[in-house]
Amino acid sequence: DIQMTQSPSSLSASVGDRVTITCRASQSISSYLNWYQQKPGKAPKLLIYAASSLQSGVPSNFSGSGSGTDFTLTIISLQPEDFATYYCQQTYSTPRTFGGGTKVEIK
Amino acid sequence: QVQLQESGPGLVKPSETLSLTCTVSGGSISSYYWSWIRQPAGKGLEWIGRIYTSETTNYNPSLKSRVTMAVDTSKNQFSLKLSSVTAADTAVYYCAREVTRGSARWFDPWGQGTLVTVSS
């Protein structure tokens, strides 16, 4: 199985801050990396697919980068509605695996 | 717009079989992989497995011995059975569509999720 390691597991930030979340795969996954946002009591929502492609309808405030084993999700200017938990996911091989999540909290 | 809805018992007794159905509306179930994912309270996401409309399946090795998935194209539904459940199987269970476009693959949309509690 490919292990996905996210860091940090949580962070506190203020509205307007630039936030960076990293995800590392235990082996190369090319660009088969997706990012999801999950709010309490809700299903995960796709933000970024193929490492850097913004899903339709997602604000351009979100961006993704990376390939191989190291990936980054950046929230350029944190908005109140961005406080949530973020997960990375690899779809390079089965079993599909997710990172442990990064909880973004209000400072 | 494709929508997914999970359904099934919210309470299952230990050692029994958990059974859930995901109904796909707004589009055809054909020609996609359909996945089940679960999330224990306060924890992360675990992929359970997937099924294609040809009934090809891939299961997570950690659960493979207990998982069975099926698809009913006439009803636009797919299902999950997890046998010999314990309290560790208590979680919110989600269904999701896996989309493939070129060399990219992602899960979208997801169902709203259904809580299954294993308790006597």
Side-chain angles (χ1 to χ4, degrees), chain B residues 89-103:
Chain B
D89 295 309
T90 294
V92 174
Y93 285 75
Y94 296 101
C95 55
R97 182 181 67 174
E98 182 169 315
V99 177
T100 298
R101 189 176 301 159
S103 60

Side-chain angles (χ1 to χ4, degrees), chain A residues 7-94:
Chain A
S7 61
S9 56
S10 65
L11 64 90
S12 295
S14 300
V15 173
D17 284 352
R18 183 183 183 94
V19 170
T20 299
I21 300 168
T22 63
C23 180
R24 174 165 289 177
S26 60
Q27 66 182 75
S28 177
I29 57 170
S30 184
S31 295
Y32 289 93
L33 188 284
N34 308 312
W35 291 98
Y36 299 87
Q37 176 193 65
Q38 187 179 35
K39 296 183 177 180
K42 300 293 187 182
K45 171 189 170 185
L46 178 69
L47 296 177
I48 302 280
Y49 63 91
S52 61
S53 296
L54 194 67
Q55 169 69 344
S56 175
V58 173
S60 57
N61 199 34
F62 291 91
S63 70
S65 65
S67 67
T69 60
D70 294 314
F71 302 86
T72 299
L73 173 70
T74 299
I75 308 174
I76 296 167
S77 176
L78 197 64
Q79 300 301 301
E81 60 269 25
D82 300 335
F83 291 95
T85 300
Y86 295 86
Y87 293 93
C88 62
Q89 176 209 30
Q90 66 81 19
T91 50
Y92 179 79
S93 65
T94 59

Side-chain angles (χ1 to χ4, degrees), chain B residues 72-113:
Chain B
D72 186 338
T73 53
S74 67
K75 294 182 178 179
N76 243 28
Q77 294 177 334
F78 61 103
S79 62
L80 166 70
K81 292 188 186 298
L82 181 66
S83 64
S84 305
V85 298
T86 69
D89 295 309
T90 294
V92 174
Y93 285 75
Y94 296 101
C95 55
R97 182 181 67 174
E98 182 169 315
V99 177
T100 298
R101 189 176 301 159
S103 60
R105 297 186 278 258
W106 63 87
F107 287 11
D108 183 69
W110 295 57
Q112 65 183 29

